Amino acid sequence: MNPAYPFSAVVGLADLKLALVLNAVSSRVGGVLVRGEKGTAKSTIVRALAAQLPRVAVVAGCRFHCDPGAPDPGCPDGPHETTAAGGADAAGALRAASLVELPVGASEDRLVGSLDLERALTEGVKAFEPGLLAAAHRGVLYVDEVNLLHDHLVDLLLDAAALGVCYVERETVSVRHAARFLLVGTMNPEEGELRPQLLDRFGLTVEVRATREPDERAEVVRRRFAFDADPEGFAARWAAEESALAARIARARAALGSVRLPDSRLRQITAVCAGFEVDGLRADLVTAHAAVAHAAWQGRDVVTREDVRVAARLALPHRRRRDPFDAPGLDERLLDELLDQTEPAAPDDPDNPEGPEDPDDSGGPGSGGSGGSSGSGAGDGAPAAPESAPEGGTEGARDGAPDGAAGPSEGTVSGDRPQDVAAAGAPFRVPVLKVAGVGAGVAGRRSSGRGRHGRTIGARVPTGAGPAGIDLPATLLAAAPHQLRRGRRGPGLVLRRDDLREPVREGREGNLVLFVVDASGSMGARRRMTAVKTAVLSLLLDAYQRRDKIGLVVFRGAGATVALPPTSSVEAGAARLRALPTGGRTPLAEGLATAAEVLRVERLRDPDRRPLLVVVTDGRATSGGDVTRAAAALAGVTSVVVDCESGPVRLGMAQALALRLGARVLPLESLGDLVRDRRKAG
Ligand SMILES: [Zn+2]
């Protein structure tokens, strides 16, 4: 097998390297969520780190990776005899820390393991097949695109990560085993957000993007070429750096217990957390653990301001987020102000004054010491990592964070007169719009759907390769009439495979909510358009909370455009909507035809996800093709027309359109009458 790409050879990505290293040093930091675009070598670097983790001793034959020095007392493969520390050679083998990847499409059984109820019932044996959480114990669990993982799996995963224990419950049988691992998740925010309460469960977050600096990009490619051509030779050239790194991680781990967190620094941490208005105490805990880990990593025995700063920068960005429309990132000027205000008068440790790090300490390849390099500039708000210096724009963008996600996108509305862009008001709660019938789409919170989750409404003979869960009462009922013929003697039923029944569950599914918005001149009175944008923004927020995919088609002037292809990113939707200009004629038929095309393509891509069409218009077509024909192409799609007509004389055109679409009509005003949401204006 080829060696992993050396951690030390990874160019740039200083924050990510540092976050991983801090987790390698202290298991209490709580994992890393990596946010950023695709193609930034995220998996390469995680793999590289796993290779640097100290090797672990494992009880021979234990599928749950028990430590011979301290085996899990509840281990399903146990009980194991405890071996004296250092006795690993006798009891088990030293092996590399595992790196386990959790695929997005994994089943619950694959993640937590499966209790083979089928065998338990028909053969009378209690068979437990360990899942990925068991495989990851004492190693790294890597989840690419964690935001696309089913909510239910994310909950299981984060519960295990928080407790260090995996529980498997099936009907009346339960199994538990230790599952402690370094959790690394990645996500591309463009493809949808994690729920805020799940964001909070990751210890640290890092925003990554590929460097825009040509020299650095060239170096990335050069090293990748060299590695691909000769992995062994490449690894050998980096061997010295890699073993220095592994030794430094091991040293920091060993020193962790003796790092002191003075009370003044703890108070500084809590003041910074309070200053960023984070909820709960998890932020304070994670920041404290990360600061201690950073001190150990830097070879200090007492936590300094620099350690607190680095920890806060990594631990707080995702915790201060209030709603899906806020931009990520942390205001570093505010961070430095808060640190200044709370800086203890006396140095924490006269023997170890704060100041610039030993250059060797932070400069080496892959040392992850970017935090250290900013030590001297801690008071002036200078960005930390030298690697990020060429990307001057990043810091600027971060400073502009309070403007929200709409900021950058508004700049892209070139060619349209800016005065035509109406603002949106504060979103309000909207009535629940549902797709008729029962679907089989991904779990969500909108329409009725059948799937693996939800309320059990019946039982049936398994339809797939094996039963999707076992409905015990139905299985017993199926077996009962055959007991005499099967020669049952004594207690217990004689069960056969064809007695097994699986539950039929009904819950709710997510949908594709496709907005078709009329932005033409007939809608163009600024106040009108503000009301329209507010209504659509409210519907978008609702779609986010119901875990729908959303899309946005806009028609005005010469035709219709797909302003937002179907995505789970409500931020992108909100940004496009805010920037939406208005004016021109009303090509209604083109809007409908474009929507039909979007739905056709999406049906191919995601056939189980049922669409809900929301047409926002006054229904007045002033140009373009035949509306009747365009509406016919949308037959069978559950639709809603939000009627935007206003004024004393009304033409009722939206009603006519709704009739053609078989749609329900909701007057725009009726949406706004509902309870104002708690969200602030903006
Ligand atoms: Zn064990």
Side-chain angles (χ1 to χ4, degrees):
M1 202 180 86
N2 279 344
Y5 190 88
F7 191 81
S8 315
V10 175
V11 179
L13 302 177
D15 276 355
L16 175 54
K17 284 194 270 192
L18 183 58
L20 288 171
V21 160
L22 294 183
N23 273 282
V25 169
S26 168
S27 61
R28 310 183 87 168
V29 174
V32 189
L33 178 64
V34 189
R35 297 165 54 97
E37 58 201 9
K38 286 188 187 301
T40 34
K42 290 176 288 219
S43 73
T44 302
I45 191 167
V46 173
R47 217 170 277 287
L49 178 86
Q52 291 315 309
L53 293 177
R55 296 163 73 81
V56 291
V58 175
V59 171
C62 173
R63 296 173 300 161
F64 299 84
H65 303 156
C66 280
D67 180 351
D72 174 10
C75 175
D77 280 356
H80 309 296
E81 272 177 37
T82 306
T83 326
D89 297 340
L94 269 181
R95 36 169 290 174
S98 51
L99 170 73
V100 173
E101 274 193 52
L102 171 61
V104 162
S107 65
E108 178 179 341
D109 282 357
R110 183 98 183 84
L111 178 65
V112 299
S114 56
L115 204 56
D116 196 339
L117 270 184
E118 198 176 328
R119 278 188 70 200
L121 288 173
T122 59
E123 298 169 35
V125 291
K126 184 172 157 185
F128 181 71
E129 198 55 43
L132 294 174
L133 289 179
H137 181 43
R138 304 169 73 204
V140 179
L141 185 66
Y142 179 67
V143 193
D144 203 10
E145 302 189 298
V146 66
N147 52 328
L148 304 186
L149 205 62
H150 191 288
D151 271 1
H152 179 61
L153 288 189
V154 177
D155 288 340
L156 288 171
L157 178 66
L158 293 176
D159 280 348
L163 301 170
V165 175
C166 168
Y167 289 95
V168 190
E169 306 271 355
R170 289 287 186 285
E171 277 78 24
T172 56
V173 200
S174 71
V175 169
R176 60 156 291 284
H177 63 80
R180 285 186 302 277
F181 46 83
L182 195 182
L183 178 63
V184 184
T186 74
M187 60 178 282
N188 180 354
E190 280 286 304
E191 290 173 351
E193 270 299 343
L194 273 184
R195 284 180 285 149
Q197 60 270 44
L198 300 185
L199 272 177
D200 182 52
R201 303 287 287 272
F202 281 93
L204 310 180
T205 40
V206 178
E207 302 274 336
V208 297
R209 59 173 209 165
T211 170
R212 305 288 192 255
E213 170 62 36
D215 287 348
E216 232 177 86
R217 293 174 79 98
E219 187 57 24
V220 172
V221 174
R222 218 175 282 131
R223 289 187 187 176
R224 195 71 227 188
F225 268 37
F227 177 76
D228 289 343
D230 176 17
E232 303 283 347
F234 188 84
R237 285 197 292 286
W238 287 88
E241 280 86 351
E242 291 290 275
S243 55
L245 171 69
R248 190 173 167 193
I249 290 174
R251 263 202 317 278
R253 268 194 185 188
L256 195 65
S258 47
V259 173
R260 204 160 55 79
L261 175 64
D263 206 48
S264 55
R265 288 291 166 212
L266 178 57
R267 279 203 302 274
Q268 187 169 42
I269 287 170
T270 55
V272 166
C273 291
F276 278 103
E277 295 181 32
V278 296
D279 293 325
L281 280 173
R282 198 190 293 272
D284 308 59
L285 278 168
V286 170
T287 308
H289 283 306
V292 169
H294 189 257
W297 171 244
Q298 295 293 348
R300 288 191 274 267
D301 55 10
V302 65
V303 172
T304 64
R305 172 189 175 122
E306 177 54 23
D307 300 322
V308 174
R309 187 180 197 281
V310 168
R313 214 163 47 77
L314 297 172
L316 300 188
H318 54 303
R319 295 199 162 83
R320 50 150 283 274
R321 303 197 50 177
R322 290 317 174 102
D323 70 46
F325 303 135
D326 280 347
L330 195 70
D331 180 348
E332 299 207 20
R333 275 180 306 200
L334 175 59
L335 174 57
D336 286 320
E337 271 169 35
L338 290 166
L339 289 169
D340 285 343
Q341 287 162 16
T342 52
E343 186 58 22
D348 296 307
D349 183 348
D351 296 333
N352 191 6
E354 291 177 42
E357 302 304 323
D358 176 355
D360 289 342
D361 229 14
S362 58
S367 71
S370 70
S373 65
S374 71
S376 54
D380 60 17
E387 285 90 340
S388 72
E391 307 170 25
T394 314
E395 296 304 322
R398 236 181 249 163
D399 288 343
D403 293 340
S409 302
E410 267 165 13
T412 63
V413 197
S414 54
D416 282 304
R417 288 154 299 164
Q419 68 268 23
D420 288 346
V421 179
F428 45 79
R429 215 163 286 151
V430 294
V432 186
L433 308 174
K434 288 184 178 178
V435 178
V438 179
V442 296
R445 306 199 179 95
R446 188 175 294 277
S447 310
S448 294
R450 296 227 163 104
R452 283 184 57 80
H453 309 288
R455 198 164 47 90
T456 301
I457 54 164
R460 65 180 170 207
V461 174
T463 50
I470 295 212
D471 187 290
L472 205 49
T475 300
L476 297 179
L477 275 176
H482 310 296
Q483 295 305 302
L484 278 180
R485 195 157 35 79
R486 288 177 189 174
R488 173 187 157 207
R489 260 171 256 121
L493 290 177
V494 181
L495 281 150
R496 297 220 179 119
R497 175 177 279 269
D498 55 7
D499 297 328
L500 298 175
R501 296 291 181 272
E502 66 181 9
V504 178
R505 297 190 176 100
E506 185 164 313
R508 283 195 283 165
E509 61 169 8
N511 298 106
L512 164 62
V513 183
L514 183 61
F515 295 93
V516 183
V517 177
D518 181 348
S520 67
S522 70
M523 305 274 295
R526 170 171 290 269
R527 233 183 16 225
R528 193 94 209 119
M529 205 56 210
T530 293
V532 167
K533 284 190 177 185
T534 307
V536 178
L537 198 62
S538 307
L539 291 161
L540 275 176
L541 185 65
D542 179 64
Y544 165 79
Q545 283 158 352
R546 298 181 192 283
R547 301 199 44 94
D548 295 311
K549 252 186 184 178
I550 52 166
L552 181 60
V553 169
V554 174
F555 58 96
R556 63 183 279 260
T561 51
V562 182
L564 183 75
T567 169
S568 304
S569 172
V570 88
E571 285 161 345
R576 302 290 153 83
L577 184 75
R578 286 199 173 100
L580 186 67
T582 47
R585 291 189 298 173
T586 316
L588 177 56
E590 279 76 2
L592 297 178
T594 303
E597 177 59 15
V598 168
L599 294 184
R600 188 187 68 80
V601 172
E602 205 52 27
R603 238 189 325 267
L604 297 175
R605 238 191 237 154
D606 195 354
D608 288 337
R609 189 181 283 269
R610 298 187 302 154
L612 172 68
L613 190 70
V614 180
V615 186
V616 185
T617 181
D618 58 11
R620 221 184 317 176
T622 60
S623 76
D626 180 359
V627 174
T628 309
R629 191 182 307 157
L634 289 161
V637 176
T638 300
S639 309
V640 175
V641 173
V642 177
D643 182 358
C644 300
E645 191 174 28
S646 64
V649 184
R650 303 202 179 190
L651 302 172
M653 305 288 281
Q655 304 270 0
L657 172 66
L659 210 60
R660 288 193 182 114
L661 287 170
R664 176 180 167 197
V665 184
L666 286 174
L668 180 63
E669 298 82 8
S670 77
L671 289 173
D673 286 343
L674 292 143
V675 196
R676 289 272 144 191
D677 199 81
R678 64 186 163 78
R679 291 185 70 262
K680 58 189 182 292

